[in-house]
Amino acid sequence: MAFKSTVAVVGALLAGGCVSIQAPKDFLVVDKGIDEIKAVTPDDAKLWVRTFDDPDGGDLAFWSKTLKLDLTKNRGYVLLGEEPIEDKQGRQGAALLLETTLQGKPTRELLALFVLPGWPDNRIRVVELVADKETFERVLPDVKQAIATLD
């Protein structure tokens, strides 16, 4: 069992290493793992970076469209906009700006999606910012700058 754990850790490191991002101002990192980082602000904006295996090998266009359709058709989100975004390595990603209502309050969400080529599988990295509308607008520029430090 220890051998399997060691192989998994080495595999994760070879497939792209530990995820890292320079936390935006006002954000405190509250959890950090090999494939995940969580940070929050005092007024409850949440930033979550996660990495998933993609054994199916979908490209950025496929996953971006799939995510957009699922959120708007199945989960009640409204798409406010989308734009290209880039990480520290110069990888192109897709950023979706969405709005929904949570607990009776308008809530905004930014989902930045990257596909990391790897062997044997690609990996999908998602940066998610969620906050009430006012807080979201205040922290969004700093989060976009932080995404440029994503590694």
Side-chain angles (χ1 to χ4, degrees):
M1 189 59 110
F3 177 74
K4 276 188 170 181
S5 297
T6 302
V7 170
V9 170
V10 169
L13 293 173
L14 291 175
C18 298
V19 64
S20 69
I21 192 169
Q22 184 179 336
K25 72 177 186 176
D26 297 334
F27 279 83
L28 173 67
V29 174
V30 294
D31 191 18
K32 183 166 177 28
I34 290 175
D35 287 332
E36 178 178 77
I37 298 171
K38 292 180 181 179
V40 297
T41 64
D43 51 357
D44 208 29
K46 294 172 182 73
L47 181 63
W48 194 2
V49 182
R50 296 180 282 174
T51 308
F52 305 94
D53 290 332
D54 177 20
D56 299 318
D59 63 10
L60 180 63
F62 174 84
W63 288 118
S64 176
K65 185 173 184 177
T66 300
L67 185 61
K68 183 174 30 176
L69 288 173
D70 181 52
L71 291 169
T72 58
K73 301 292 184 201
N74 300 327
R75 299 181 189 225
Y77 284 80
V78 175
L79 181 66
L80 300 177
E82 58 185 304
E83 63 188 31
I85 198 159
E86 202 171 281
D87 70 6
K88 183 178 180 179
Q89 302 300 322
R91 287 182 286 247
Q92 294 299 306
L96 306 176
L97 178 61
L98 303 141
E99 187 170 270
T100 192
T101 302
L102 294 175
Q103 299 175 341
K105 295 180 188 176
T107 302
R108 293 241 167 127
E109 186 163 344
L110 172 73
L111 283 169
L113 176 71
F114 297 90
V115 175
L116 315 176
W119 184 89
D121 300 329
N122 288 344
R123 297 180 50 96
I124 299 169
R125 183 157 295 148
V126 178
V127 180
E128 185 175 8
L129 168 65
V130 178
D132 67 73
K133 193 173 176 179
E134 182 180 314
T135 303
F136 183 91
E137 294 302 324
R138 180 180 54 78
V139 301
L140 182 60
D142 294 329
V143 170
K144 284 184 175 181
Q145 285 182 339
I147 291 171
T149 72
L150 181 64
D151 199 12

